[in-house]
Amino acid sequence: MESKHMSAFALYKTLQPELPPPAKNVVECVCANQIGPLCLLKQHQKKESVTAESLDAVLTELTRVNNSKERASKLFQWLLKPVPAKYFFRETWEKKPVYVQRKNPDYYKGLFSTAEFDRILRKENVHYGVNLDITSYVNGKRETHNPPGRALPFTVWDFYDSGCSVRLLNPQAFSSTVWNVLSILQEKFGSMAGANVYLTPPGTQGFAPHYDDIEAFVIQLEGKKHWRVYSPRSEDEVLPVLSSPNFDQAEIGKPILDVVLEAGDLLFFPRGFIHQGNCLPDAHSLHITISSYQKNSWGHLLQKVIPAALEVAMEEDVEFRRGLPLNYLTYMGVQNSDKVDPRREIFLSRVEKLIKKLPNFAPVDAAIDQKAKEFFHDCLPPVLTPDELATSVQGAPARWENGKVKNVGVHITTQTKIKLLRAGCARLYGGDAVHLCYTIDNSRVYHKEEPKSIEIQTEHTDAVEFLIHSYPNFVTVGTLPCDSVQDKIALAELLFEKGIIHTSEPLQAPPAVQSE
C-alpha cells in the first residue's frame, strides 16, 4: 500500500504571516509512520520539567539542578517539547520520524547563529575537510569543493555566494553553548552526542538523498528548509550499521514526510531513513543536527562479548580444544555445501552445540566495561556550573599574589563532604589492575586526547564504588570504606586533584599555608 504524504509547499502556502502568530502554548506535531498515513496532532503544552522557554534561561535554570542525570532529562525534554520523552522513546526512537512545528522562531535562539559562524571563521583555526566542508548538489550530482588549508571568510563566503552549502563538522569545538548542550545530552543517551551545522543558500541543495548511521535531531535555527523523509527501502536498511552512499531520486520512492522547517521547528528521524533537504527560493537555512547512537547496538556489544566468550571457553572447556576431524576439508566448505553427506550434519551439529555453550562463558560485564571505556573517550568534558567551579579543583584558591604563591593545597578532613562532579564522569573497570576512567580532561575536539584513567589501589575500590553509587548525594570523607583515616583522605585528595569530585563548600587552603 502506497504511503500518503503531505506536500510541504501546500503546508507552507497555508501559513499566513500577516496574521498574528498563534498562541505559544499550541504546537503541531506530525508523526510519520513508515507503514501508514501521517497523523497530525495538536496538543497543548503540559507543565514541563523546565519552566524556561529560551535556551539561555533553560541552561541557567539547569545550573541549579544538582543531579546531572536529571539535568540531562530536563534538557532533552525541553528539546522535544511538547512531545513527552517517555512517549518518544517508546513510540518513536529507532522507529519513525517526528516533526514538531512550533511557530516560535526564537525557541532555539542562542544555540548557534550565522553571526557566530562568521565569528568562528574570523577568530578560530578552521580547516577545510577537518572542521568544514563546502558542498553542492546540482542536477543529481553531489560534489565537495574543499580547497586545502585554512577556511577563511573571504573564500568561504564566496563559495556560499556561488550557491554552495557550508557544513561545520564539530561546532562544539568552537561554540561553548553547543559544547554545553552536547555535554549534558550525552548523559541522557549514554552514547556520544555529536553535531554538525549546515548553512544553505536560498534555492539550493547541498547534499544528495542518503541515510545515516545515527539518530538525528534536526533543529532549525534560521530561515527555512524543505525536507523530505523516506522509509528504509528494505529490512536490510532498517537501523543500518553504516551510512549509505548517495542515492538517485529514482531509487528512493515517495516520501512519507514532506515538510518545511522554519526557525524553532524540530525534525527527528532514525538511522536508515533516507532524507534530503533543499532551501526555498526566498530564504537561507541554518540548522544544526544533533546526533547519537552511532555504533551502539546489541550487535556492537556482541562483537566484544563473543570473541571474549570464546577465549574463556577455550581456556575452561576441553570440548572447545578438541581437534577438528582429520578429513573435514573433504566434505565441508563452500565447494562441498551442496553435497548430501551425513558427515556434514554431524559437523554442523557439533558447531551448533559449541555455540550454544558460549553464553556460559560470556564475560558480559567486562565487555560492557570495554564499551564504556570507548564512550568515555568519545565524551565531551563537562561545562562546569558556577557551583561546580567554586567547589572543584578548577576553582581552588591557589594563586600568585604580591610576589608569592598563596593558598597552595587544599584542606580535606574526614568531615569534608564530597561527591562525583557528574553522574557519568567516572567509571571503574578491571583487568590486570583496577582503573578509574574519567571524562574531565577530555578535549572538545573528538579524540584529540588519549583516554584518561588512573590506577586505583585494590583496597580503595570499595570506596570508589561507594562514591559512584552515592551520587547525587554528598558523603563525608570519613564514611569512605577505607582501612584508615589516612587512606580516606589520600583517596579524596587524589580524586579532587583529578577533578573527579567536588565538595559541598569551597575548600580553604591549609592553615599553615595561609599564615605565610
Side-chain angles (χ1 to χ4, degrees), residues 49-50 62 64-77 184 187-188 423 471-472:
S49 53
V50 175
L62 290 179
R64 297 189 286 270
V65 177
N66 293 322
N67 183 336
S68 62
K69 288 289 188 184
E70 184 181 345
R71 196 180 301 159
S73 292
K74 287 175 179 289
L75 180 59
F76 184 71
Q77 181 59 80
I184 295 171
E187 283 206 54
K188 180 65 178 179
Y471 188 90

Side-chain angles (χ1 to χ4, degrees), residues 3 32-36 95-97 231-232 238 256 273:
S3 296
N33 189 315
Q34 61 186 10
I35 59 172
K95 297 182 181 74
K96 58 189 177 185
S231 292
V238 174
I256 60 166
F273 278 75

Side-chain angles (χ1 to χ4, degrees), residues 56-272:
D56 285 345
V58 167
L59 293 175
T60 299
E61 185 175 327
L62 290 179
T63 64
R64 297 189 286 270
V65 177
N66 293 322
N67 183 336
S68 62
K69 288 289 188 184
E70 184 181 345
R71 196 180 301 159
S73 292
K74 287 175 179 289
L75 180 59
F76 184 71
Q77 181 59 80
W78 175 84
L79 188 79
L80 287 181
K81 189 177 179 178
V83 180
K86 288 183 178 179
Y87 173 88
F88 172 80
F89 283 114
R90 185 179 69 247
E91 302 293 337
T92 302
W93 179 253
E94 295 189 328
K95 297 182 181 74
K96 58 189 177 185
V98 168
Y99 162 50
V100 178
Q101 183 187 48
R102 290 201 173 83
K103 299 179 182 178
N104 178 3
D106 293 334
Y107 192 78
Y108 294 116
K109 186 177 180 180
L111 180 54
F112 200 84
S113 66
T114 45
E116 184 164 19
F117 211 144
D118 186 73
R119 179 198 66 78
I120 289 169
L121 291 174
R122 295 180 184 283
K123 302 294 185 180
E124 305 287 351
N125 195 17
V126 179
H127 282 258
Y128 291 108
V130 177
N131 313 112
L132 184 139
D133 285 328
I134 303 294
T135 70
S136 65
Y137 178 67
V138 179
N139 297 325
K141 185 178 181 181
R142 159 75 166 85
E143 292 185 280
T144 300
H145 308 279
N146 292 340
R150 184 177 172 184
L152 293 168
F154 179 84
T155 308
V156 172
W157 295 138
D158 184 60
F159 273 121
Y160 174 85
D161 199 46
S162 300
C164 292
S165 290
V166 186
R167 173 171 64 179
L168 186 62
L169 296 170
N170 53 341
Q172 60 272 24
F174 308 107
S175 164
S176 58
T177 303
V178 175
W179 166 31
N180 194 6
V181 167
L182 297 182
S183 70
I184 295 171
L185 289 177
Q186 68 193 6
E187 283 206 54
K188 180 65 178 179
F189 296 125
S191 177
M192 174 185 161
N196 289 333
V197 168
Y198 300 82
L199 177 61
T200 310
T204 69
Q205 182 168 338
F207 294 86
H210 66 283
Y211 61 71
D212 294 312
D213 60 345
I214 46 89
E215 305 294 297
F217 299 83
V218 178
I219 296 170
Q220 192 69 26
L221 301 171
E222 295 178 12
K224 47 183 174 279
K225 199 167 202 177
H226 171 213
W227 283 91
R228 285 163 286 175
V229 182
Y230 309 76
S231 292
R233 301 178 303 170
S234 68
E235 281 295 315
D236 292 341
E237 294 182 355
V238 174
L239 303 178
V241 175
L242 300 173
S243 297
S244 74
N246 295 326
F247 293 122
D248 293 330
Q249 299 293 337
E251 296 179 278
I252 58 179
K254 293 186 177 181
I256 60 166
L257 188 62
D258 189 332
V259 294
V260 172
L261 257 64
E262 300 201 32
D265 294 346
L266 170 74
L267 174 63
F268 164 80
F269 45 82
R271 55 197 191 276

Side-chain angles (χ1 to χ4, degrees), residues 244-320:
S244 74
N246 295 326
F247 293 122
D248 293 330
Q249 299 293 337
E251 296 179 278
I252 58 179
K254 293 186 177 181
I256 60 166
L257 188 62
D258 189 332
V259 294
V260 172
L261 257 64
E262 300 201 32
D265 294 346
L266 170 74
L267 174 63
F268 164 80
F269 45 82
R271 55 197 191 276
F273 278 75
I274 299 168
H275 53 277
Q276 60 178 322
N278 64 280
C279 257
L280 301 176
D282 58 335
H284 74 278
S285 169
L286 180 74
H287 79 265
I288 184 170
T289 297
I290 293 176
S291 61
S292 192
Y293 258 58
Q294 187 178 51
K295 299 180 180 178
N296 202 42
S297 68
W298 284 101
H300 289 103
L301 174 61
L302 291 175
Q303 284 178 339
K304 299 184 181 300
V305 171
I306 292 174
L310 187 56
E311 185 175 339
V312 175
M314 292 183 71
E315 291 178 359
E316 298 184 2
D317 189 333
V318 68
E319 292 300 315
F320 286 86

Side-chain angles (χ1 to χ4, degrees), residues 378-441:
D378 294 342
C379 277
L380 287 163
V383 178
L384 301 188
T385 67
D387 177 68
E388 290 168 343
L389 181 61
T391 57
S392 67
V393 68
Q394 286 87 344
R399 66 189 185 278
W400 179 272
E401 184 179 281
N402 297 328
K404 293 183 179 180
V405 171
K406 297 285 187 178
N407 297 333
V408 176
V410 292
H411 190 46
I412 291 179
T413 72
T414 56
Q415 299 305 308
T416 303
K417 294 181 179 180
I418 60 174
K419 75 171 182 179
L420 290 184
L421 192 67
R422 297 285 170 89
C425 76
R427 183 183 179 93
L428 281 171
Y429 66 93
D432 296 335
V434 179
H435 285 81
L436 185 70
C437 57
Y438 58 97
T439 65
I440 311 302
D441 293 336

